[in-house]
Amino acid sequence: MGFLSPWFLAGLAAVGLPVWLHLLRKHKATPIPFSSLMFFERRAQSSIKHRRLRYLVLFALRALLFALLALAFAHPYIQRALLPASRAGEVTVVAIDNSLSMRAAGLLAQAKNQAKSELSALHPGARAQVLAFASRVEALSELTDDRAALAAAVDAAAASDGRTSFAALARSLNSMAQSLHRPLRVLLYSDMQQSGMPAAFNDLRLDAGIALEPHPLTSRPAPNFTVENVVAPGRVYSGAKTRVLATVAGFNTAQAARTVSLTLNGRVIESKTATVTESGRATVEFDSLEVPYGRNRGAVAVDSADALPDDDTFYFSVERADPRRALFVHGPDDTRGFLYFKTALEASGQSAFAVEAAAADQAAGVAPSQYAFVIISDVGPLAEPFEKSLRAYVSQGGSVLVALGHNSKAGARVPVAGLAVQGTRFADREGDDFQSAAALDPSHPSIRQNNRWDDVKFYRAIRIDPGAARTVARLTDGTPLLVDEPLGAGHVLVFASTLDNIDNDFPLHASFVPFIAQTANYLGHQNAGPSAATVGGFAELRENGEKAAAVDVVDPKGERVFSLAQAATVRNLQFTMDGFYDIRRPSGRNELVAVNADRRESDLTPASPDTLRLWQNTASGAVGGGPAAEEKSRQPLWWYVMLAALACGLAESWLGNRHLSVDQEAP
């Protein structure tokens, strides 16, 4: 309680007036006439009885009246904590972290218990919603005031393999506040992992109507070992033993020796002991892996003996197959292009393809479907049956690379692709009138890893009309150099020069080898999908021309990810759990993708309290490092004091008159 005019409290001194009236006022004796005092004995009369308080109730009323008047003039008030008017209709949001790190030491169960306790304490009619979040946010309930439904939603929060992303949560909360047009009180239950904080702190910014209340479930970092990474080939093409390299990491750990095991298809191949330094790393090398034919499921595990065993295993997939055949069709007595192509492919370490050469007249009876891809190297017009079979091959998902040279005449058509040939651009090798590659599309698989062709000289280039095809590279005069033409489910890649060193000096430059290797992988669909991925990542399931074909995906639990209707239309797959995904594509290309949890989840270090306070303060509605500050309201009391003084005055008047009449009637 406080006083607006505390100096009026000096009026409390008036309480002494009733005391003076009842006790200290001088006693006056009333003279009574008497004839003679000779028979009276002289003695001192005590005045104590005259100084006793009389009429105690009347005295109390008078003292209280003066005290109440002094208090009323001092303007007393009390402060009351009120919900700000701006937070009227506030909605409670319960956000439960269900990322991988919440599996440690029963943290998720603690979060659920605390959340249900908080929900049960909400006042009747208060609305709330339950969210679960890791790398993405999932609504577990509708916005409701049904306590039973909210409690059931909390119980439904299941542990995931995703990585904590507080930035994703902040974006979702801001979106909710904007769509609901209501202030939000956010109860956040998490281990507050430091690795879940974004690199840019501005990504955590909350709107003004959001009051964040973090409930950290742990305050100190927990020690944890994990297999951080595994390096293994995705495909092998021989029976030789394969090397696997694993990295074991310790977070907040003392130095320790750990056993690391390599398994393939559920069978332990080899175990080794690794000494992990304090909060450090150790590398383990396995050299005894013999890969059988087909797609194989591999894993490296560590005996961590810590609170989070779910990150002790790292999965990888490896496929053994024979090299796939590729057909190189060339003109009569022209094998230079084949020599350069094959040599570049071997120099890249690429053993996935075995390239076979054939002259154009010899290839007429060859079935293209036997080959991973086909190269047509400056052969001019193809025999009609062979070109027809090539077009059917491409439409069904095959790929063809067409290199153009002096046999391409103006007015003709590019074999298989059907693009119009407009003429030839020629320069003398002795002069400086050559062309260079001026514009390259680095997103195309053929040049994604090496897009520096500046020093390559092109003396002859065939001018073609790309039409609606994708132009991947152009020369300095604007002539299309590399064009990608989709045809059905496949592609025709057109290179407007030769693959030898006659019309250009491309084979003499270092950029030629990666170009050939990447183009072979692209044409042979070696890059169709990843052999390893991280939880939360995506895989592309179909290309142009495959819209009506079903893609069958089986998750690590052995369940189909998509329904029949979805399988025919879906274009992308998001990996939501660790383990092996079996992807069966409509073109017959199948992949076994090993998916692992993001190893940043293995660092169980919590964010500092200062970081959490800064996050709370990003909302203008949050003050002083806590939830939205309570507004204080002064509730005046002087009116009630004046009413009490009036009642006291009336009682004093009535009681005083009564006592006065009694005194007057006394003899």
Side-chain angles (χ1 to χ4, degrees):
M1 186 174 72
F3 299 93
L4 294 177
S5 305
W7 49 88
F8 278 103
L9 294 177
L12 290 175
V15 174
L17 182 59
V19 177
W20 178 79
L21 290 174
H22 282 254
L23 181 62
L24 301 179
R25 186 177 62 179
K26 183 179 179 181
H27 177 70
K28 295 182 180 180
T30 304
I32 300 176
F34 203 79
S35 60
S36 174
L37 299 176
M38 63 181 297
F39 297 106
F40 286 85
E41 181 182 355
R42 181 179 295 274
R43 59 180 297 181
Q45 182 179 6
S46 175
S47 62
I48 293 178
K49 66 177 183 179
H50 299 296
R51 297 182 180 273
R52 291 178 181 169
L53 287 172
R54 300 176 62 191
Y55 312 127
L56 293 180
V57 176
L58 182 61
F59 167 74
L61 288 173
R62 289 173 175 173
L64 181 60
L65 176 61
F66 282 101
L68 290 174
L69 288 174
L71 288 174
F73 280 98
H75 284 81
Y77 66 87
I78 58 173
Q79 285 190 338
R80 298 178 58 187
L82 300 177
L83 187 68
S86 60
R87 304 197 65 80
E90 183 179 64
V91 172
T92 299
V93 177
V94 175
I96 300 176
D97 182 357
N98 67 340
S99 62
L100 177 69
S101 63
M102 291 290 287
R103 297 174 183 256
L107 293 180
L108 184 59
Q110 295 180 35
K112 290 182 179 181
N113 291 335
Q114 293 186 23
K116 287 191 289 186
S117 176
E118 190 70 34
L119 286 172
S120 64
L122 294 177
H123 61 80
R127 296 190 300 167
Q129 187 171 13
V130 179
L131 307 178
F133 74 97
S135 58
R136 59 179 182 175
V137 180
E138 178 185 5
L140 300 181
S141 75
E142 300 290 339
L143 184 60
T144 179
D145 59 356
D146 186 343
R147 297 294 179 269
L150 293 171
V154 171
D155 289 332
S160 74
D161 296 323
R163 174 178 173 255
T164 306
S165 175
F166 293 116
L169 175 63
R171 288 192 296 270
S172 294
L173 293 175
N174 290 336
S175 178
M176 285 182 62
Q178 294 168 9
S179 61
L180 294 175
H181 302 290
R182 293 286 188 274
L184 302 182
R185 178 193 176 209
V186 181
L187 305 177
L188 173 57
Y189 299 95
S190 170
D191 57 357
M192 302 300 173
Q193 209 172 9
Q194 177 62 44
S195 61
M197 294 292 175
F201 197 81
N202 193 55
D203 292 340
L204 293 175
R205 183 174 297 279
L206 300 173
D207 288 348
I210 300 176
L212 179 66
E213 299 181 19
H215 293 267
L217 301 173
T218 181
S219 59
R220 61 182 60 185
N224 185 46
F225 289 98
T226 183
V227 180
E228 189 175 43
N229 188 38
V230 171
V231 178
R235 295 179 180 88
V236 295
Y237 300 95
S238 69
K241 292 184 178 181
T242 302
R243 188 180 73 159
V244 176
L245 200 64
T247 301
V248 179
F251 297 95
N252 308 304
T253 56
Q255 179 171 315
R258 294 295 171 198
T259 301
V260 184
S261 302
L262 169 67
T263 62
L264 188 70
N265 299 324
R267 183 172 63 91
V268 177
I269 304 298
E270 187 178 0
S271 295
K272 290 187 176 182
T273 300
T275 300
V276 184
T277 59
E278 180 180 355
S279 297
R281 289 169 172 79
T283 301
V284 183
E285 183 175 350
F286 300 97
D287 296 315
S288 58
L289 180 62
E290 296 181 358
V291 182
Y293 276 99
R295 296 177 294 165
N296 300 275
R297 304 178 182 222
V300 176
V302 59
D303 63 333
S304 65
D306 54 35
L308 185 61
D310 298 270
D311 64 348
D312 293 349
T313 302
F314 197 99
Y315 303 103
F316 68 93
S317 69
V318 56
E319 179 182 4
R320 180 181 171 185
D322 292 325
R324 300 166 65 195
R325 300 164 61 196
L327 179 63
F328 193 101
V329 180
H330 57 80
D333 302 324
D334 181 14
T335 60
R336 294 175 63 91
F338 170 71
L339 178 63
Y340 278 112
F341 187 93
K342 183 178 181 180
T343 303
L345 203 58
E346 293 173 349
S348 69
Q350 175 65 268
S351 56
F353 303 104
V355 184
E356 302 175 0
D361 54 350
Q362 298 173 344
V366 173
S369 59
Q370 301 176 8
Y371 298 94
F373 58 90
V374 177
I375 304 101
I376 307 296
S377 178
D378 189 26
V379 297
L382 293 172
E384 184 177 350
F386 184 47
E387 182 169 6
K388 185 177 180 180
S389 64
L390 283 174
R391 290 184 64 86
Y393 163 71
V394 174
S395 298
Q396 295 172 5
S399 298
V400 172
L401 170 63
V402 180
L404 304 178
H406 67 279
N407 289 317
S408 300
K409 307 299 183 181
R413 294 277 176 178
V414 176
V416 187
L419 303 177
V421 177
Q422 297 176 328
T424 302
R425 205 284 184 195
F426 179 78
D428 189 353
R429 296 182 67 95
E430 303 299 328
D432 296 331
D433 195 23
F434 58 84
Q435 295 289 315
S436 300
L440 282 78
D441 182 358
S443 64
H444 193 274
S446 291
I447 55 178
R448 182 175 297 159
Q449 298 177 11
N450 191 331
N451 58 359
R452 299 299 301 272
W453 294 6
D454 303 344
D455 53 350
V456 180
K457 299 176 182 179
F458 292 91
Y459 304 105
R460 185 200 302 269
I462 307 302
R463 294 197 303 270
I464 60 175
D465 180 9
R470 177 182 179 182
T471 301
V472 180
R474 290 182 182 273
L475 297 176
T476 49
D477 65 351
T479 299
L481 176 62
L482 187 63
V483 175
D484 193 346
E485 169 75 4
L487 181 62
H491 292 265
V492 179
L493 197 61
V494 181
F495 185 63
S497 192
T498 59
L499 296 175
D500 54 26
N501 64 342
I502 301 299
D503 290 353
N504 57 73
D505 64 352
F506 197 9
L508 307 181
H509 292 270
S511 55
F512 184 71
V513 171
F515 167 69
I516 295 300
Q518 292 170 182
T519 299
N521 286 333
Y522 174 58
L523 297 175
H525 302 289
Q526 289 293 97
N527 298 327
S531 60
T534 302
V535 173
F538 290 86
E540 186 176 355
L541 297 181
R542 65 179 74 250
E543 300 176 359
N544 294 333
E546 298 179 342
K547 295 181 179 179
V551 179
D552 192 16
V553 180
V554 180
D555 67 15
K557 294 181 179 180
E559 301 174 354
R560 281 181 165 77
V561 177
F562 304 115
S563 65
L564 291 177
Q566 292 173 331
T569 58
V570 68
R571 301 191 63 85
N572 295 290
L573 165 69
Q574 183 175 26
F575 302 113
T576 58
M577 65 183 74
D578 64 357
F580 295 95
Y581 281 78
D582 192 358
I583 303 177
R584 303 162 188 173
R585 300 176 182 272
S587 61
R589 303 189 312 271
N590 300 331
E591 292 98 34
L592 184 66
V593 183
V595 180
N596 293 280
D598 194 316
R599 284 315 192 245
R600 284 174 288 186
E601 278 292 296
S602 299
D603 186 355
L604 303 180
T605 303
S608 66
D610 289 340
T611 300
L612 299 181
R613 281 193 290 269
L614 287 173
W615 186 12
Q616 291 175 274
N617 287 337
T618 58
S620 60
V623 180
E630 292 180 335
E631 294 184 1
K632 300 296 184 179
S633 174
R634 290 179 176 178
Q635 182 70 29
L637 301 178
W638 70 270
W639 176 250
Y640 303 101
V641 177
M642 286 298 294
L643 289 177
L646 178 60
C648 187
L650 293 175
E652 188 276 337
S653 177
W654 175 79
L655 191 58
N657 289 335
R658 180 178 178 184
H659 286 305
L660 180 60
S661 62
V662 171
D663 289 344
Q664 289 177 348
E665 294 175 358

